Amino acid sequence: MEISFGSIYEQFEKVCRDFPEKPALIYLGKSWRFSQLKETVETLAANLLKMGITGGDRVILYLSNTPQWVISWLALLRIGAISIPISPIYTPMDLKYMANDSGAETIFCLDTNFGYVLQVLPETGLKRVIVTNIAELLPWWKRWIGLSLNKIPSGKVGKGEHIFSFKKLLERRSSSSLPSLNIEPEQMFEMLYTGGTTGPPKGVPFTHIVFLEGISEQRAMSEPFIPKGKDIVIQGGPLFHILGQQMGLGGLLSGDNLILLPKVNLDGLLDHIQRYRVLTFFGVPAMYRMILEHDRIDYYDLSSLQYCFSGGDVLPVEVAERWLKKFGKPIYQGYGATETCGRVSLTPIGEEAPPGSAGKVTPLQKVKLVDPDTLEPVPPGEPGELLVSSDHMIRSYWNKPLETAECFVEMDGRLWYRTRDIVRIDEKGWLFYLDRSVDTIKHKGYRVAVSEIEAVLQEHPAVISACVVGVPDEKVGERIKAFAVLKSDVKGVSAYDLLKWCRERLAPYKVPQYIEFRDMLPKSKVGKLLRRELRAEERKRFEKS
């Protein structure tokens, strides 16, 4: 079965025809067959149309990894609307920015973050709120047990003509029929926000063909082990992240069985792998380390795993070696970015990757290594900034012409995306990641723009200047450290005060772990902040420790 490069929903219809009675989703013990999933999706799609949501409308998915996320995403595809998946842990400040930047008028949210939505409604163009609970689609007896044991988080939900219940929308059979699909491969269907190198976050618009090419190349890596339609995939990353979409949604659109968990819980994850005999697992390097160091790892049978994939950050060689030794299965690696729809390089099945390699460049991608300052090509085998191009590619950021001009450049008659990452490619085509721009930090697989954190710190009335760098850390890739210079007349402001300030304004994964006060920060002769010097100091400390 090959993925056709039409529309994503047409591909979903195809796997529903091919595997109508096969499990599509499993969530906390409840299963949806492909035929059931399609019926549910189209019920929601019809009701969204009836509410006035039409093709091209932007809709935020402010949800965790639940069936509601998948059902909503597919329903929006069915009516030609554009989904804006964001992290369910984003703060009101993040939510307000993304709602206004995207122009969204509708949002799906959990009851636990409904309060944040209510807080920003007056300052955004949001007109409709569709609310759900993580256990809403489970059988009544499971909900009852979960609530009685206080295992199901819930929040207060208000009432109003603009507030709708997700569950009631599924129960409401719409009399209106769905229009025929009329979607072009180059049509935009989704936008993911990425930190990039400059803040605030930038919207990355995806087209159907870019996404379908991405999941096709990703799924082809495991196909020699596991034929399409035969895999059992457990969602090891968030659905709002490109890694989670390429592996999880890519599996579902290949006819595979996708297992969802509402949040990361190691025992729950390992129990599901054992219980459902999961074949494919994926996650960021920190997840593999957490599993290896889990004190109850030997209680679980993970022998069913056939394909383990790591992305989102560099996989330490010692983690890869420990995993292979313990489970007898390698961790296959890849390198990519949101702007490239993941999968710039992947490790082919059956080839032994050199230690430290992130795979070989995929067939549909073209790459170029250049000097980051001059953009001149570097000699073969030498490290350089990685530029990526393809026939079907993301060509710009949403409503960000200056950032687009900085990151997408015309060279040799092609458009190239500047990754800002320094890599080396050997004579056999293996890609080795060496370093990233000093303006970004990779923390737990997230790409964090240091300028966003610096801007928040400098808004504090006691701070005159701030600088943020990544501190090497074996467990999470890098930890976030901030250097702050306080105004001379300020007394009594502590690191705790600045951290509290950040927690109120930044998503949890963006909050610094350390704050160091300085009398001054290093700057160039023209006054440019020299982050590289502070970063070098921290690396020396790490190497000595």
Side-chain angles (χ1 to χ4, degrees):
M1 181 185 70
E2 293 298 323
I3 288 181
S4 58
F5 295 148
S7 79
I8 298 168
Y9 198 83
E10 286 173 320
Q11 177 60 30
F12 175 64
E13 288 183 319
K14 185 178 188 305
V15 296
C16 289
R17 290 193 301 270
D18 291 343
F19 309 105
E21 300 307 307
K22 182 181 176 296
L25 289 179
I26 293 176
Y27 177 73
L28 301 180
K30 179 174 170 58
S31 177
W32 284 260
R33 300 190 303 276
F34 273 99
S35 57
Q36 290 175 314
L37 181 59
K38 183 174 182 289
E39 181 181 351
T40 304
V41 165
E42 299 201 339
T43 297
L44 179 60
N47 281 305
L48 294 180
L49 277 177
K50 193 174 180 181
M51 291 167 62
I53 303 170
T54 59
D57 287 356
R58 272 85 70 194
V59 180
I60 294 174
L61 301 182
Y62 192 31
L63 303 168
S64 56
N65 287 1
T66 56
Q68 294 96 308
W69 196 106
V70 177
I71 292 165
S72 303
W73 188 76
L74 288 167
L76 294 172
L77 283 166
R78 180 61 183 84
I79 63 176
I82 297 169
S83 59
I84 316 290
I86 67 173
S87 169
I89 64 173
Y90 273 161
T91 64
M93 183 178 288
D94 296 311
L95 179 59
K96 175 186 168 183
Y97 168 77
M98 292 173 188
N100 287 331
D101 184 69
S102 66
E105 295 185 349
T106 306
I107 184 168
F108 287 81
C109 72
L110 296 169
D111 54 358
T112 50
N113 54 24
F114 175 79
Y116 284 175
V117 176
L118 202 61
Q119 187 175 328
V120 305
L121 277 179
E123 302 174 87
T124 67
L126 292 171
K127 298 177 181 177
R128 310 173 194 88
V129 184
I130 302 170
V131 189
T132 188
N133 175 274
I134 64 167
E136 192 168 57
L137 301 188
L138 297 179
W140 69 267
W141 59 271
K142 282 196 172 187
R143 296 199 307 274
W144 181 82
I145 292 173
L147 289 169
S148 62
L149 296 176
N150 200 29
K151 295 294 185 182
I152 300 175
S154 60
K156 291 183 179 180
V157 177
K159 293 183 179 180
E161 60 180 15
H162 61 292
I163 300 171
F164 302 87
S165 161
F166 185 94
K167 190 175 183 182
K168 288 182 179 178
L169 287 177
L170 295 187
E171 294 168 351
R172 188 189 304 165
R173 299 294 173 180
S174 176
S175 57
S176 61
S177 58
L178 288 166
S180 59
L181 280 169
N182 185 24
I183 296 172
E184 296 297 321
E186 294 286 359
Q187 190 170 319
M188 177 181 167
F189 79 93
E190 176 183 69
M191 186 158 66
L192 299 182
Y193 277 89
T194 180
T197 59
T198 58
K202 300 183 288 290
V204 181
F206 286 83
T207 63
H208 289 260
I209 191 166
V210 165
F211 189 82
L212 287 168
E213 285 184 345
I215 63 172
S216 178
E217 287 199 309
Q218 183 76 57
R219 184 62 177 87
M221 290 299 103
S222 60
E223 195 171 3
F225 279 178
I226 313 163
K228 291 177 181 176
K230 300 292 185 182
D231 204 356
I232 304 171
V233 183
I234 193 160
Q235 187 72 28
L239 285 164
F240 62 81
H241 192 280
I242 190 59
L243 174 63
Q245 292 200 356
Q246 291 287 285
M247 294 295 295
L249 297 176
L252 184 72
L253 292 168
S254 298
D256 300 325
N257 182 192
L258 178 61
I259 299 173
L260 297 173
L261 293 170
K263 65 178 184 178
V264 175
N265 175 284
L266 285 185
D267 286 295
L269 174 73
L270 299 174
D271 176 70
H272 275 67
I273 293 174
Q274 175 179 273
R275 183 186 308 178
Y276 293 103
R277 307 300 294 162
V278 168
L279 301 177
T280 291
F281 170 69
F282 67 93
V284 296
M287 177 69 76
Y288 285 95
R289 185 184 290 276
M290 287 167 59
I291 292 173
L292 285 167
E293 296 176 356
H294 188 47
D295 55 6
R296 291 184 292 279
I297 182 62
D298 292 327
Y299 294 178
Y300 300 97
D301 176 9
L302 308 186
S303 61
S304 63
L305 291 176
Q306 296 296 311
Y307 183 70
C308 300
F309 181 81
S310 173
D313 205 349
V314 179
L315 179 71
V317 173
E318 58 95 8
V319 172
E321 291 175 346
R322 285 170 61 194
W323 187 272
L324 179 62
K325 183 178 179 180
K326 185 165 187 66
F327 299 111
K329 303 283 171 55
I331 299 175
Y332 294 92
Q333 295 185 64
Y335 165 87
T338 306
E339 291 87 343
T340 63
C341 199
R343 101 300 175 202
V344 172
S345 66
L346 296 167
T347 305
I349 299 296
E351 292 192 44
E352 187 174 348
S357 165
K360 290 184 173 180
V361 177
T362 61
L364 296 178
Q365 300 282 26
K366 295 176 176 61
V367 300
K368 184 190 293 285
L369 298 189
V370 299
D371 182 294
D373 296 321
T374 66
L375 296 187
E376 290 295 320
V378 300
E382 291 296 310
E385 181 187 341
L386 178 66
L387 274 56
V388 183
S389 179
S390 60
D391 292 340
H392 302 108
M393 64 181 288
I394 291 152
R395 309 187 69 83
S396 65
Y397 292 117
W398 178 263
N399 289 338
K400 293 284 188 295
L402 293 178
E403 291 84 347
T404 295
E406 289 178 0
C407 298
F408 293 86
V409 295
E410 290 275 356
M411 294 178 65
D412 305 326
R414 296 189 67 92
L415 184 68
W416 299 83
Y417 167 64
R418 295 189 64 177
T419 66
R420 310 285 178 171
D421 288 335
I422 306 300
V423 307
R424 177 175 64 85
I425 299 176
D426 71 11
E427 66 280 0
K428 294 184 179 178
W430 292 100
L431 184 148
F432 296 83
Y433 179 93
L434 302 179
D435 200 3
R436 69 176 54 86
S437 161
V438 295
D439 298 326
T440 59
I441 295 171
K442 267 295 180 70
H443 177 66
K444 295 184 177 179
Y446 292 100
R447 190 165 59 163
V448 180
V450 298
S451 57
E452 183 182 0
I453 307 170
E454 289 171 355
V456 167
L457 283 167
Q458 286 168 179
E459 287 170 3
H460 191 284
V463 175
I464 192 170
S465 61
C467 180
V468 174
V469 301
V471 178
D473 185 276
E474 292 181 349
K475 292 187 177 180
V476 296
E478 288 181 300
R479 293 194 180 274
I480 302 169
K481 181 171 182 177
F483 297 85
V485 178
L486 300 181
K487 295 176 181 177
S488 58
D489 58 344
V490 168
K491 305 294 181 185
V493 174
S494 66
Y496 173 82
D497 297 318
L498 294 187
L499 290 173
K500 183 183 177 186
W501 175 269
C502 290
R503 289 190 191 100
E504 292 169 351
R505 292 161 174 80
L506 293 168
Y509 67 87
K510 298 178 183 178
V511 176
Q513 283 78 45
Y514 319 99
I515 291 185
E516 181 178 321
F517 293 106
R518 292 276 181 106
D519 293 329
M520 60 187 301
L521 298 174
K523 292 184 179 180
S524 68
K525 292 180 180 179
V526 295
K528 186 177 180 181
L529 190 62
L530 297 175
R531 290 193 190 93
R532 192 177 296 277
E533 287 191 12
L534 293 174
R535 196 163 173 240
E537 283 182 28
E538 296 303 319
R539 285 197 168 186
K540 285 181 181 177
R541 289 184 190 177
F542 175 76
E543 289 165 1
K544 289 178 181 178
S545 63

